[in-house]
Amino acid sequence: MGSFGMNDKAELGRRLFGDSQLGDRREPTTRLGAGLTSSDKQIKQDIFKRVVKMLDLTMLGALDDKEARVQIRETCEALMAQEALPLNMPTRQRIIKEIEDEILGLGPLEQLLADPSVSDILVNGPAQVYVERHGKLEASSIHFDSEQHLLTIIDRIVSRVGRRIDESSPMVDARLADGSRVNAIIPPLAIDGPQVSIRRFAVERLTVDRLIELGELTPEIAQVLNAIVHARLNILISGGTGSGKTTLLNTLSGFIPDNERIVTIEDSAELQLQQPHKVRLETRPPNIEGRGEVTQRDLVKNSLRMRPDRIVIGEVRGAEALDMLQAMNTGHDGSITTIHANTPRDALSRVESMVAMTGFNLPTRPLRAQIASAIDVIIQLERQEDGIRRIISVQEVQGLEGDVITLSEIFEFRRKGIDPDGKVLGRFAATGMVPKFQERLRQRGLDVPLDVYEPGF
């Protein structure tokens, strides 16, 4: 994590100790030493307060993270040697590391952020922290000393990206230095204390082979998805929260040729496109006066003037749906986006509802005709009871019959039950339907054998 960049001791003292002053004898509100013995915690409290008073914090704020940690570590070691404290080496190292994290990082959260197996961190007030590992939630031993300590950490997160959170603006979306997405909400809206939800940004970019290994899809489905991306079909990825939509979008984007210009649009930058020719755009919330907001719809409109070959929207959730459909229908084939929905049919209904948010009173049939013309393929994801995120359906949008958009399922996950260990039983299967886009694939020289669509693979 980067250092604060603070200019004086008073400011750092306020952030670390709440409203108390550096000279105040009260215990700081920061939790120091989760997992240490009571005596070790007291030693750490004493060292922490002395380190804060001794360091030249103006200089510390000007250093990069690595150099600042060296300064803190050397000061701690000198104090421990001076006092001849009865601490073994592992305890000394832990105390020093946690003091570094309190001054420069995110306190108790640093321990979780360093764990690659943690995909989500859910803070339900200062005394309760849950994490998600391998698709399942579990309680963590980490906790904060007080609400003030948790608020201090939240303020540290949001201030680094130029945002604020207080009683007049008690909700905020932000991101960490590694790209992880953060949502925070504080009292009076959060009744039981400040709440923080962190969606980790995967350091390891998952490949198709890795997704197949994890059981999210099969080689046959991957072959078809590769082909439809190369053939520039428009794809809508649908699923619930935490079902792996962004992960799959990142994976599919890896199929896009390097010679294409891609414009990505997100609320919080999470996409990990590897192509050299990409433009990344991110929305902006209103400032303290309520001005300056830039919405996804604004960015979608602007992207059309940037000569994109493809537009990739992290998630469509509002009035930008209309502009997305128009882009897909006006020469920007091969666009990809995600949406929150439980089924492919629900996904189309949500798109229809989002277009209504624009205020345009479009007749139902022309609107559905535009949706059917714009979207070629819907991929439905689900996080199942065993924690595995799976593609449970791949459907082609066939067109409009009367006032109904017709869908044709190409692949499905046929669920059979749950074994005694809680693992979902089932298999992926083709439905036997050969999609209309098969001809388009053939015309573009993309050889997908017809036996891929035969039932029972």
Side-chain angles (χ1 to χ4, degrees), residues 374-431:
I375 300 171
D376 297 304
V377 177
I378 302 175
I379 304 171
Q380 185 67 40
L381 292 166
E382 181 179 274
R383 181 176 61 177
Q384 299 184 323
E385 293 90 331
D386 54 4
I388 297 178
R389 297 160 171 87
R390 291 184 174 92
I391 292 178
I392 61 169
S393 183
V394 177
Q395 301 197 18
E396 180 183 34
V397 179
Q398 295 273 359
L400 195 67
E401 291 186 4
D403 289 337
V404 178
I405 299 174
T406 58
L407 300 174
S408 175
E409 189 166 47
I410 306 167
F411 302 109
E412 63 178 337
F413 180 77
R414 293 177 180 169
R415 180 169 173 159
K416 296 181 179 179
I418 299 179
D419 69 11
D421 297 325
K423 185 176 180 180
V424 173
L425 301 175
R427 66 184 182 90
F428 293 96
T431 62

Side-chain angles (χ1 to χ4, degrees), residues 51-98:
V51 167
V52 170
K53 292 179 181 179
M54 291 177 61
L55 286 176
D56 183 345
L57 300 179
T58 302
M59 179 200 69
L60 194 67
L63 299 176
D64 64 25
D65 182 77
K66 185 176 180 180
E67 293 173 333
R69 287 182 181 271
V70 169
Q71 291 285 338
I72 295 170
R73 189 178 306 117
E74 290 177 350
T75 304
C76 290
E77 290 171 347
L79 287 172
M80 289 178 178
Q82 178 183 336
E83 298 293 333
L85 296 173
L87 301 171
N88 59 35
M89 185 56 66
T91 302
R92 286 173 181 262
Q93 292 175 344
R94 178 165 186 169
I95 287 175
I96 293 172
K97 176 64 167 64
E98 292 186 5

